[in-house]
Structure formats: C-alpha cells, structure tokens
Amino acid sequence: MATTIQQNVGVATSSQERAHHYDSRKPRGDSQCKAGPAVDTWHNPSLHYEEGLALATQSQDTENNKKSALDDGCSALIAMLRACGKCKDLQQGIRLHDEILKRHFLRRCSDALATMYAKCGALSKAKELLYKHHSKDLYSWTDLIAGYARQGLYHDALECFRQMQYEGLSPDAVTFACILKACGNLKASNMGKRIHDEIARQGLLGTDMVLASALVDMYAKCGALASAQQVLEELPFRNVVSWSALIAGYAQEGQGEQALHCFEQMQCEGFSPDEVTFACVLKACGTIEDVDKGKQIHEEIAKQGFLDTNIVLGSALVDMYAKCGALAKAQQVLEEMPSRNVVSWSALIAGYAQQGLGKEALNCFDQMKREGLSPNAVTYSSVLKACGSIQDIDRGEQIYDQIARQGLLGNNIVLGTAVVDMYVKCGALAKAQKVLEELPSRDAVSWSALITGFCHQGQGEQALTCFKQMLSEGLSPDAVTFSCILNTCSHLGLLEDAHMYFMAMNTKYGVKPSIEHYTCMVDLFGRAGHLDKAARVIQEMPFYDHVAVLSTLMGACRKWGDVNVGRWAFEQAVNVDKRDGSTYVIMADIYAAAGMQEDADMINFMKVENCGI
DNA sequence: TGATTCACGC
C-alpha cells in the first residue's frame, strides 16, 4: 500500500500533534517506526525525504496565499522532524536541519529541531538550539531534560531545568518527574524536597501516579526512607511501582526487614508483585541473609515462569543465594538459567570471594570467560578479592595486568582499591602503596585498605603516616579508618592522640562512634592501666547491649588486678545479660588473683545458677 | 517528554 508523506508524518498543527502525543502516551511505543505501512515508507529515505520536500516546496509555490503557503512548508518540515524524533533517525534529522537553514526557517523550526535532537540523543545540539533561541517551548525543554535524565547526565538535567525556568517557563508534571529522577540519583535530597513542596503546592500528587512514584523513588534513592514512606502513605492511590520504589529503597539501605514488611503490606492492599518487585525483595533477603524467605520468593517466581525470560531476576536470585552463603544453590540457579550474562556470573564470583572461597571464585571466572563473556570492572573487583583471600599474588598480578591493559583503572576508585587490597592481603605492602599512589584518585576507602594493612602487620608508624597523608589530601576518614587508627594508637600506646582522634571523629568529621570505636578506647585505656578512664568511656556510651565492651574492661582489670572497677563492670554486664558466661569466668579470675577465693567461688556458683554450666 | 529491578573496594 502506498502511503504518502502526508499520511505518514501528517501536516498537523503543532497543537494537534501535541494533544495527540499527550493523550496517547501509554499505547504509543515505537510500533509506528517498526511495522506498518507508515514505517516502510519512512524507512525508504529517498522516497520519503524527497516527497516531503516536494510537499514543502509545492506549498511554497502556491501563488494565492503566500503567507499560509509558507506556513505549510514549515509545518511539513516540522512534521518530518517529529517523525525523525519518533524513529530516532538522526541522519535524516540533520538533513532536515540543513534544509531548514537553507530556507531560513530556523527561527520557526528551532523548537521542533531541538526536540528531534533530544529524542535522537543528540543532547548538546538540542541544548544549543534551546539556549540560543531562548526557547519558550516547555515540551522541547522537557524533552531535553528527559534526555539527560535517561542518559544519566543528571547535573545537565538540573542545569537545563534552571535555564528553562530562567526563560520564564513553569515545569509541568513530566518535567518534575524527570527532575526528581535526577535528584534521586544525585542524592540531592534538599533540591528534591523543594520540588516536592512545589508539586504539593500545585496539587499534582493527587492526580498523577507516575509523578507520585517518582517522588517516592527520589526520597528512597536519597536514603530518606521515612520521607519516602510518608509520601507513599499519604498518596490517595498507590500501585506496584510506588511500592516497589519504596521496597527498593529499603533494600538498598540494607534495611531488609523493612523492605519485607512493605512487601507484605503491598500485597495486603491487593497489589501483586511484578518482576521488578521480586528483584527488590530478593535483594532485601540477601542483605539480611534470610535464605528461607528468599527460597519462598524463588518458588513464587518460578511458578510464574519469570525465570524463563528475565535475566535480571535470575541474577538477583543468584546474588540472593550467594549473599546468604548458599553458594551451591547460587551456582545451581546460575547453571539452570536459560541464558546468563556478566552480572549473573559476577554475583556468583562475589559470593565465593566473600566467603573466602578464592579457588571456586577463580574457577567461575575462568568458566565465564570460556562461555565467551568478558569480565568488567565489577567482575575484576571480586576476582581480586578472591586472589587476596587465598593470597595468590601471582594470579592477582596477572589480573592487575589485564585491568591495566584495558585502561580500567583510569576512573574507577573501587577497582583501584581492590588492587591495593589484593596486595595488602598478600602481604605485599610496598606494592600496595605504590599502586595506591599511582591511582588517579583516592578516597577514604582506598587509603583505609593500605592503613589496615600496616595496622595488621604491626607497622603502626606507617599506618599513622598514611593516615596523615590521607588527611593532607583533604579526605575525610570514615568509620573504618577510625577503627584502624584507634587500634593503631592503642598498640603504640599513643593515648593522647587516640583520645584526640576519638573526639574529632564526631565533632570534626561527623562520624558517630560505633560500639567498635568505644571498645577501642576502652582497650586503649585498659592496656595503659587507666581503668577509671576506661569505665568512664563505657558510662558515656549511647549503647545498651555492650557486654563485649564490659568484658574488654574486665580483661584489663584482670591484668591490673583492679577488683573494684572489675566488680563494677561485672555488675553492669550481668544487668545486660546474666546468661553470658564469659564475664563470670573473668570475674572469678579477678577475685582469685586478689586472694578473694570465697568471692571467686560465689561467682562460679552464680554462673552455674544463671548459665547452667 | 515522566515512575520501580541484578554484580564490586577498607
């Protein structure tokens, strides 16, 4: 069937076309570009292009009404641009751009041109047109912002958003949705909150499900889960997407129980999980190592036949079993997948590496390559961890060579750190340090890998030197760095320094001391015989479940023969958990060493009473 | 033109 250019791209006015666009969002898709007569014609460029131009030219040639004829020519070009955008036919679009310039239509076609470029992914061309012509077309701006958001160029999306508003335009629900996506991925929760306020002010949340889900997702991606949950709860309507966004947020933050709770609640409200929901829930099961729940989800997924087609879900399943330490099961799932990719394999390799099963991880790595799949930076990180875990420095170095040859270290701190850590675990600290220093950039984690190495090898001075170097690079130490540094100070007997760092970690670096850090301080003062100071550290702790810290203090009391502080710590420990036998043993020792045998016997009696042994 | 999912470093 012959289709004319008019039937295909039409000569609809822009408002008609946009109305159509807006109303038929759901069923649209690319079908027009892939099948049917319209496509065939359009994909015959010579036929199309020439016919379109002929149409535009004919219109211009009409004598009667010059002005409207000119409009028709321009409209036809605009319609053709729109078709290019729809089919992502950039080449054809560029030819139209030339034609538009030749005919001096640029002023009137610039928005349509920008939209075409935006849809074809040529974002800088689109941006140039909109900025240069101070476009007042909301849809063209939104197309560009959506393009940036799709490509992961979130800063560019925000910049365009600002410029659009600077031109006097007010965003609509679609613009807001794109900007929320950018905010979420940039973890820009303050900006996201401002957008939220504006959306609420305009009453858009009550009418637009997509926007509402985008808002939940924004807060979830920012880790502001209370806000995400609140938004979801206050929505007049929810769906599986808004629920999944929240579940994904909890899973991402490691709050697996909350994720599972939401999953239950979602089903209570009558929503059936889809493949995306299942992937989120599997991640949640992995983070809390709930293999039973994971198995249950696995059965549900299999029953619904999702595993036959969905490689993401299959990989999520491999990852869940791997994170739960059920590696045989993970491997079985991987082997039974109809097809697997580098993600599926990397999940399994990471699982083996995590459990210290370096040999198995390396076997998988080889098998993956035999299947013709190429490892990427994520795969290599896990493989390096595997080499470190079995101290296979030769294999590690071989992998490092491959990585370097592929230029993967250029901008990948995670991978660089994995190399450093591999050398550290193999005891090659000089090599580790050399790699670290040659990395294009470093962060607290990469430094900590090296610092931990020096610390564990008893080279405390070196650890502190690195720490100072790290600070001089303007980097903020994190919780792990401080644990390591406090331990180092403890072993070197640097009480004052340790105390200074301990105070600074919260006040200067915003790292809340964890029970581990308090334990370091107790150990430090305890070793030095400052038992009163150690006891004071415990008194100032904001934790309740702290038997381990108390027994650290009691160990120091045993060493220094301090019955009073020892008794105090013991009483605290019994208050927390009277069934923990270890503290009775230490207390009995303390009494016995002080020649207080009756008290020691009493403690042993209490131990039998309370702990049964 | 807009929403949810899988693998990595101390």
Side-chain angles (χ1 to χ4, degrees):
Chain A
M1 183 173 95
T3 311
T4 68
I5 186 83
Q6 272 163 297
Q7 282 172 307
N8 181 19
V9 299
V11 282
T13 64
S14 53
S15 63
Q16 279 171 327
E17 179 68 18
R18 285 203 183 115
H20 168 74
H21 232 142
Y22 212 74
D23 290 339
S24 57
R25 278 171 294 176
K26 283 255 155 61
R28 214 175 31 81
D30 287 341
S31 55
Q32 279 194 10
C33 300
K34 284 184 184 144
V39 178
D40 296 337
T41 335
W42 181 251
H43 275 169
N44 181 342
S46 55
L47 179 62
H48 242 290
Y49 188 67
E50 300 310 332
E51 277 189 15
L53 286 187
L55 179 81
T57 309
Q58 269 167 26
S59 316
Q60 258 182 319
D61 287 347
T62 314
E63 289 288 335
N64 299 351
N65 190 337
K66 276 261 178 204
K67 190 170 184 306
S68 107
L70 201 67
D71 280 347
D72 278 352
C74 197
S75 304
L77 285 165
I78 288 175
M80 290 171 78
L81 284 172
R82 200 162 292 137
C84 284
K86 215 172 228 178
C87 301
K88 313 224 180 306
D89 189 342
L90 182 59
Q91 273 196 324
Q92 203 67 272
I94 290 171
R95 291 175 71 187
L96 288 169
H97 191 168
D98 286 343
E99 196 58 38
I100 285 163
L101 289 175
K102 242 184 262 170
R103 295 171 184 230
H104 306 289
F105 281 161
L106 183 59
R107 188 164 290 278
R108 283 186 295 159
C109 293
S110 69
D111 287 337
L113 258 180
T115 297
M116 179 278 293
Y117 280 125
K119 285 196 203 299
C120 292
L123 303 180
S124 53
K125 297 286 281 183
K127 178 184 171 186
E128 192 185 323
L129 283 160
L130 295 181
Y131 275 57
K132 199 165 162 187
H133 294 273
H134 298 283
S135 171
K136 298 286 183 280
D137 183 56
L138 175 62
Y139 295 140
S140 300
W141 280 105
T142 303
D143 267 320
L144 178 56
I145 293 168
Y148 281 128
R150 255 198 316 275
Q151 293 193 19
L153 300 166
Y154 303 115
H155 287 290
D156 297 276
L158 291 184
E159 186 208 313
C160 257
F161 180 65
R162 286 190 200 99
Q163 186 63 26
M164 183 195 97
Q165 289 172 300
Y166 181 75
E167 296 291 352
L169 292 166
S170 300
D172 69 2
V174 180
T175 327
F176 282 133
C178 298
I179 287 305
L180 286 173
K181 181 182 181 135
C183 292
N185 283 286
L186 293 172
K187 299 194 184 294
S189 54
N190 290 335
M191 169 90 179
K193 176 78 175 81
R194 285 201 296 277
I195 302 291
H196 178 187
D197 291 342
E198 184 55 28
I199 290 169
R201 208 180 58 78
Q202 296 187 25
L204 292 171
L205 281 183
T207 57
D208 194 315
M209 192 65 239
V210 174
L211 186 57
S213 304
L215 188 60
V216 174
D217 177 55
M218 181 278 292
Y219 281 122
K221 285 217 167 66
C222 290
L225 294 164
S227 299
Q229 175 110 35
Q230 193 186 346
V231 169
L232 182 102
E233 279 169 3
E234 289 172 0
L235 289 178
F237 39 74
R238 297 182 262 282
N239 66 10
V240 66
V241 178
S242 47
W243 272 113
S244 300
L246 183 63
I247 293 169
Y250 280 120
Q252 182 61 45
E253 294 292 308
Q255 300 187 38
E257 288 91 354
Q258 285 290 350
L260 291 174
H261 178 70
C262 288
F263 181 59
E264 298 300 325
Q265 224 178 320
M266 177 190 118
Q267 287 166 297
C268 285
E269 284 188 9
F271 297 110
S272 296
D274 65 8
E275 285 141 294
V276 176
T277 324
F278 280 129
C280 302
V281 171
L282 286 174
K283 189 185 179 114
C285 294
T287 62
I288 54 172
E289 299 181 33
D290 187 344
V291 73
D292 294 331
K293 183 72 186 171
K295 263 191 188 134
Q296 195 187 318
I297 302 294
H298 183 175
E299 282 165 20
E300 189 60 35
I301 292 169
K303 214 188 294 167
Q304 299 198 29
F306 288 149
L307 288 179
D308 303 331
T309 53
N310 193 325
I311 198 164
V312 170
L313 209 36
S315 303
L317 209 42
V318 172
D319 178 56
M320 182 277 293
Y321 282 120
K323 287 224 164 68
C324 293
L327 289 159
K329 190 76 186 156
Q331 177 124 21
Q332 187 197 337
V333 170
L334 179 127
E335 280 166 3
E336 288 171 358
M337 282 169 75
S339 71
R340 11 175 203 274
N341 61 16
V342 65
V343 176
S344 341
W345 276 109
S346 299
L348 184 61
I349 293 169
Y352 280 122
Q354 186 63 45
Q355 302 279 321
L357 299 166
K359 227 174 158 54
E360 287 79 355
L362 288 166
N363 283 339
C364 286
F365 181 60
D366 293 333
Q367 203 181 330
M368 180 190 108
K369 287 192 290 188
R370 278 199 298 276
E371 283 189 4
L373 293 166
S374 300
N376 61 21
V378 177
T379 327
Y380 281 129
S381 302
S382 296
V383 172
L384 286 166
K385 190 190 184 90
C387 295
S389 77
I390 52 172
Q391 304 203 315
D392 188 342
I393 193 169
D394 292 335
R395 192 73 198 270
E397 243 162 7
Q398 197 186 317
I399 305 286
Y400 175 35
D401 280 346
Q402 288 170 29
I403 293 168
R405 253 186 279 126
Q406 294 179 41
L408 288 174
L409 284 177
N411 51 4
N412 196 324
I413 296 189
V414 173
L415 188 53
T417 305
V419 177
V420 173
D421 184 55
M422 180 276 292
Y423 276 128
V424 164
K425 294 275 162 46
C426 294
L429 292 177
K431 285 185 174 174
Q433 181 149 23
K434 185 164 182 292
V435 172
L436 179 85
E437 282 166 359
E438 286 171 358
L439 289 180
S441 62
R442 289 166 285 279
D443 64 8
V445 181
S446 26
W447 272 113
S448 301
L450 184 62
I451 293 170
T452 311
F454 282 125
C455 182
H456 286 166
Q457 303 252 327
Q459 303 183 43
E461 311 281 358
Q462 295 273 36
L464 287 178
T465 305
C466 285
F467 179 63
K468 283 168 192 156
Q469 211 174 326
M470 170 187 158
L471 293 179
S472 74
E473 285 187 9
L475 294 166
S476 288
D478 67 10
V480 176
T481 326
F482 277 117
S483 289
C484 198
I485 288 306
L486 293 179
N487 270 320
T488 301
C489 291
S490 175
H491 285 105
L492 294 176
L494 301 171
L495 268 64
E496 304 247 317
D497 288 358
H499 196 241
M500 180 188 72
Y501 292 134
F502 182 68
M503 300 309 283
M505 65 183 285
N506 196 9
T507 56
K508 190 166 175 191
Y509 298 102
V511 180
K512 286 249 174 297
S514 70
I515 191 118
E516 201 183 327
H517 300 106
Y518 282 99
T519 308
C520 279
M521 293 309 292
V522 170
D523 182 57
L524 174 112
F525 286 128
R527 274 168 196 271
H530 298 286
L531 299 172
D532 47 341
K533 284 185 185 161
R536 202 167 314 134
V537 169
I538 292 179
Q539 285 169 325
E540 286 165 4
M541 277 186 1
F543 307 106
Y544 294 101
D545 181 21
H546 53 264
V547 175
V549 193
L550 290 163
S551 68
T552 298
L553 176 57
M554 290 176 68
C557 293
R558 176 168 53 189
K559 177 181 167 187
W560 295 99
D562 190 318
V563 175
N564 286 333
V565 177
R567 190 189 291 123
W568 173 81
F570 174 69
E571 282 164 4
Q572 303 294 310
V574 170
N575 276 338
V576 175
D577 181 5
K578 69 175 181 179
R579 302 178 63 82
D580 185 323
S582 65
T583 49
Y584 295 87
V585 176
I586 307 176
M587 194 64 230
D589 282 353
I590 293 172
Y591 278 133
M596 302 163 72
Q597 197 52 52
E598 277 183 28
D599 294 278
D601 292 343
M602 180 57 135
I603 294 295
N604 283 326
F605 176 73
M606 279 172 68
K607 176 170 175 260
V608 175
E609 286 278 290
N610 292 325
C611 311
I613 33 166

